[in-house]
Amino acid sequence: MLRTGIAVAATTLLLAGTALAQQPAAATPPAPPDFSKVEIRTTDLGDNMYMLEGQGGNITVAVAKDGIIMVDGQYAALHDKIKAAIATVSNQPIKYLINTHFHGDHVGGNEPFGRDGATTVSEVNVKNRLAAGTTNGLTGVKTPPAAPAALPSKTYSGALHIRLRGRVADLKHIEHAHTDGDTYVWFKTANVLSTGDTFTNGRYPNIDFANGGNIKGMIAAADAYLKLTNAKTRIVPGHGPLADKAVLTEYRAMLVTARDRMAKLVKDGKSEDDVVAAKPFADLDAKWAPTELASKNFIRVVYHSLADKQDQKPLLKRILRRS
């Protein structure tokens, strides 16, 4: 049964950088959101699981007998509203806050929820990206290094299991998908999957190619999710409404079509300007691109995924750590 209820500030640079992660080709940074007008909407997923929507990435809340596991935290300025929304479904403390990737509309809650006592968890590349600062590959907009208190306090590589009484969250790293530090979270007993921005429902995804993202990894993520899920699985996407396996299947088909069309253009030696002018995804735009800018952005990120040389430095670092 679905039940919907309505239940400091991040820096301007952080807001601009993360908004541009969703619309990377914008000429100028958009104005920061008016957080005073944001409402947190709560959807009951069953089995003490909830999806929260507000401003930024979707949140998953998993209630256990001795605490709460939370996936993503939106912006710092929404901490009080998010906490109040969670309090309407449980009085348990938030024990863990999982970051699905490093973009600010997902990790802005790290510092304030950390002050509340939550342990922030991420794949190791998320902490590295936040600590170093990042650059948007299409716009050149720079996001400065995060404050030490905003960095994840626990990191992992490969896979991790988080356990509370009556609740297990299985974390798995998908390499080079939306970024180089993506985590999906599988709540097997509840049949709920949280994907972060490796899956966005009803819109083209951003592929942060400058920070390790690649369309091939996005397809690999979708393949992994289709193996995990069944027709009854509730899928919480990074953005967009609650989804199911049928929606995810359609999303994967779109990614494969985009990859195959772009691969031919790249093989033919087309430039970025050439492929934008060719409008190779025009028939897909009606469903997946709300604006012309969104259409152009997706063309550009898919192009860079396939035309740019893969950065081998992260791979080299992993090899050196193991030697």
Side-chain angles (χ1 to χ4, degrees), residues 135-220:
T135 301
N136 186 300
L138 294 181
T139 66
V141 170
K142 295 183 182 298
T143 299
L151 300 178
S153 53
K154 179 179 178 62
T155 61
Y156 80 97
S157 296
L160 179 70
H161 305 290
I162 293 176
R163 292 178 171 84
L164 292 176
R165 287 176 55 207
R167 184 71 69 193
V168 178
D170 296 319
L171 284 62
K172 183 72 182 290
H173 174 47
I174 293 286
E175 293 189 351
H176 299 293
H178 175 58
T179 67
D180 62 2
D182 297 300
T183 289
Y184 71 80
V185 187
W186 176 229
F187 298 94
K188 184 177 181 179
T189 58
N191 202 12
V192 171
L193 174 67
S194 298
T195 67
D197 284 3
T198 56
F199 169 43
T200 52
N201 187 5
R203 68 186 77 178
Y204 287 133
N206 174 42
I207 302 171
D208 192 346
F209 64 89
N211 294 291
N214 192 289
I215 192 169
K216 296 177 184 178
M218 297 289 279
I219 294 169

Side-chain angles (χ1 to χ4, degrees), residues 3-321:
R3 183 184 67 200
T4 302
I6 303 302
V8 147
T11 65
T12 300
L13 280 172
L14 179 60
L15 295 173
T18 55
L20 284 164
Q22 291 302 311
Q23 295 290 342
T28 56
D34 184 351
F35 292 117
S36 68
K37 297 180 179 179
V38 174
E39 295 180 336
I40 307 299
R41 298 174 299 279
T42 303
T43 299
D44 188 342
L45 307 180
D47 196 19
N48 285 320
M49 299 283 301
Y50 304 88
M51 182 177 91
L52 272 57
E53 299 170 88
Q55 182 74 39
N58 291 329
I59 294 170
T60 305
V61 172
V63 180
K65 295 177 181 179
D66 57 345
I68 289 171
I69 300 170
M70 179 175 164
V71 182
D72 286 333
Q74 297 191 355
Y75 294 106
L78 293 175
H79 165 265
D80 291 353
K81 290 186 176 184
I82 294 167
K83 193 172 178 180
I86 293 173
T88 66
V89 299
S90 175
N91 59 6
Q92 295 286 353
I94 298 168
K95 293 286 188 71
Y96 293 97
L97 171 57
I98 300 167
N99 295 160
T100 59
H101 61 288
F102 72 85
H103 290 152
D105 62 322
H106 293 255
V107 303
N110 283 9
E111 186 169 355
F113 283 106
R115 287 196 300 266
D116 291 342
T119 297
T120 307
V121 183
S122 78
E123 200 277 332
V124 66
N125 286 321
V126 172
K127 185 173 184 177
N128 293 341
R129 294 286 184 188
L130 287 172
T134 52
T135 301
N136 186 300
L138 294 181
T139 66
V141 170
K142 295 183 182 298
T143 299
L151 300 178
S153 53
K154 179 179 178 62
T155 61
Y156 80 97
S157 296
L160 179 70
H161 305 290
I162 293 176
R163 292 178 171 84
L164 292 176
R165 287 176 55 207
R167 184 71 69 193
V168 178
D170 296 319
L171 284 62
K172 183 72 182 290
H173 174 47
I174 293 286
E175 293 189 351
H176 299 293
H178 175 58
T179 67
D180 62 2
D182 297 300
T183 289
Y184 71 80
V185 187
W186 176 229
F187 298 94
K188 184 177 181 179
T189 58
N191 202 12
V192 171
L193 174 67
S194 298
T195 67
D197 284 3
T198 56
F199 169 43
T200 52
N201 187 5
R203 68 186 77 178
Y204 287 133
N206 174 42
I207 302 171
D208 192 346
F209 64 89
N211 294 291
N214 192 289
I215 192 169
K216 296 177 184 178
M218 297 289 279
I219 294 169
D223 288 339
Y225 303 155
L226 290 172
K227 288 180 181 179
L228 278 177
T229 56
N230 57 42
K232 295 182 179 180
T233 305
R234 303 297 187 98
I235 304 174
V236 179
H239 296 268
L242 185 67
D244 59 17
K245 188 170 185 174
V247 172
L248 177 62
T249 301
E250 188 176 6
Y251 171 82
R252 180 196 181 275
M254 176 273 293
L255 292 178
V256 171
T257 298
R259 178 201 61 191
D260 292 349
R261 291 180 186 177
M262 187 61 71
K264 184 179 186 305
L265 293 169
V266 170
K267 184 177 180 181
D268 291 344
K270 301 298 184 183
S271 69
E272 182 176 349
D273 289 341
D274 291 337
V275 298
V276 171
K279 298 183 178 180
F281 310 145
D283 58 320
L284 303 174
D285 287 348
K287 177 173 178 59
W288 302 99
T291 65
E292 184 178 356
L293 176 60
S295 173
K296 290 180 178 179
N297 284 349
F298 188 60
I299 293 170
R300 296 175 73 195
V301 296
V302 175
Y303 173 82
H304 281 282
S305 283
L306 299 178
D308 295 354
K309 291 183 179 180
Q310 180 68 44
D311 182 4
Q312 296 299 314
K313 288 189 230 179
L315 176 61
L316 178 61
K317 287 179 181 178
R318 289 197 297 272
I319 292 172
L320 290 174
R321 282 202 303 266

